Structure formats: structure tokens, C-alpha cells
Amino acid sequence: MNGVNPEPGHDADELRDDVDANRFELVRDGRTVAWMKYKHLNPNRYVLLHTEVDQAQRGHGIGRIVVEAVLDEVRSRQGTVTAICPYVAEYLAGTEQYKDLVDPSHPGYPNRAAAERGDGTISE
């Protein structure tokens, strides 16, 4: 998978796709520091369910790094995303860079607050 731009003082981050666990993993200095659970649906849609950052790594921008790495990977696969994860929904609501990846028929939640409340019907 793709190397990810690391924070200063770290070797290149690596994004791995653990298809058996249905999660992308951000590996830094040989350790998994964050992961994102997903569901892969046909034809090529990724339902992004949950993002988690290792407790010791929180507060260092790792969440943003893993989200951007996953979105870049989905783009490289010519896929689309459905945002169920509140963090992903918040990220997508605040940037235009990845709007083209949001599946128009199944966009998921429009923002973090809606995702946390579970507002609306989500079509998978």
C-alpha cells in the first residue's frame, strides 16, 4: 500500500489494508497507531464505520493522517465512500478535497453531529 507523509521525526507511515479484519491500519515505526473499520460493498464503495487512534498517540493529528491516507487509497482504487464514522463525516464536511469520493446515492452522514445522533436513514 501507499506510504503516508509522516510527522517530523518518524519514518514513513504505511497504510495497510487488513481485508480479513475489514480495516485499514496506519503503521508508524513498525506499530499500528490508528485504524479505520470499513465495509467494502460492490461495485467499489467503502462504508467508513469507525476510526480509532491508539490512546498514546492521541492529540498528534494521527486521526487526520489516517483519514487522509484512507481517502487517498480509496481514490487510487477509483472507489467511493459512505461516511458513517463521526470523525470521517466531520472531516469531509470541512474540506472540498475529497468531495468527489462521497457516493452520491449513499453519502452517509453530512457531519459529526448527525453521525453521533444517528440522524437520518443510512442506506448501505
Side-chain angles (χ1 to χ4, degrees), residues 12-41:
D13 293 336
E14 179 185 358
L15 185 69
R16 296 181 185 161
D17 185 357
D18 183 343
V19 293
D20 293 330
N22 293 312
R23 74 182 203 170
F24 289 103
E25 299 173 337
L26 184 70
V27 178
R28 172 176 284 177
D29 300 329
R31 261 184 74 230
T32 300
V33 295
W35 54 94
M36 183 183 298
K37 293 288 288 180
Y38 67 86
K39 182 186 270 187
H40 186 207
L41 301 174

Side-chain angles (χ1 to χ4, degrees), residues 74-95:
V74 169
R75 178 174 279 142
S76 77
R77 296 176 182 189
Q78 299 178 341
T80 61
V81 298
T82 298
I84 303 300
C85 170
Y87 189 81
V88 173
E90 175 183 46
Y91 183 86
L92 289 171
T95 184

Side-chain angles (χ1 to χ4, degrees), residues 56-121:
Q57 300 295 321
R58 293 184 183 170
H60 299 285
I62 302 293
R64 177 189 52 79
I65 292 169
V66 73
V67 168
E68 289 176 354
V70 167
L71 293 172
D72 289 340
E73 181 62 26
V74 169
R75 178 174 279 142
S76 77
R77 296 176 182 189
Q78 299 178 341
T80 61
V81 298
T82 298
I84 303 300
C85 170
Y87 189 81
V88 173
E90 175 183 46
Y91 183 86
L92 289 171
T95 184
E96 294 294 317
Q97 182 178 353
Y98 296 103
K99 293 287 185 197
D100 61 306
L101 295 179
V102 177
D103 189 293
S105 298
H106 309 284
Y109 292 111
N111 56 50
R112 182 182 201 113
E116 287 177 345
R117 287 191 309 268
D119 286 355
T121 301

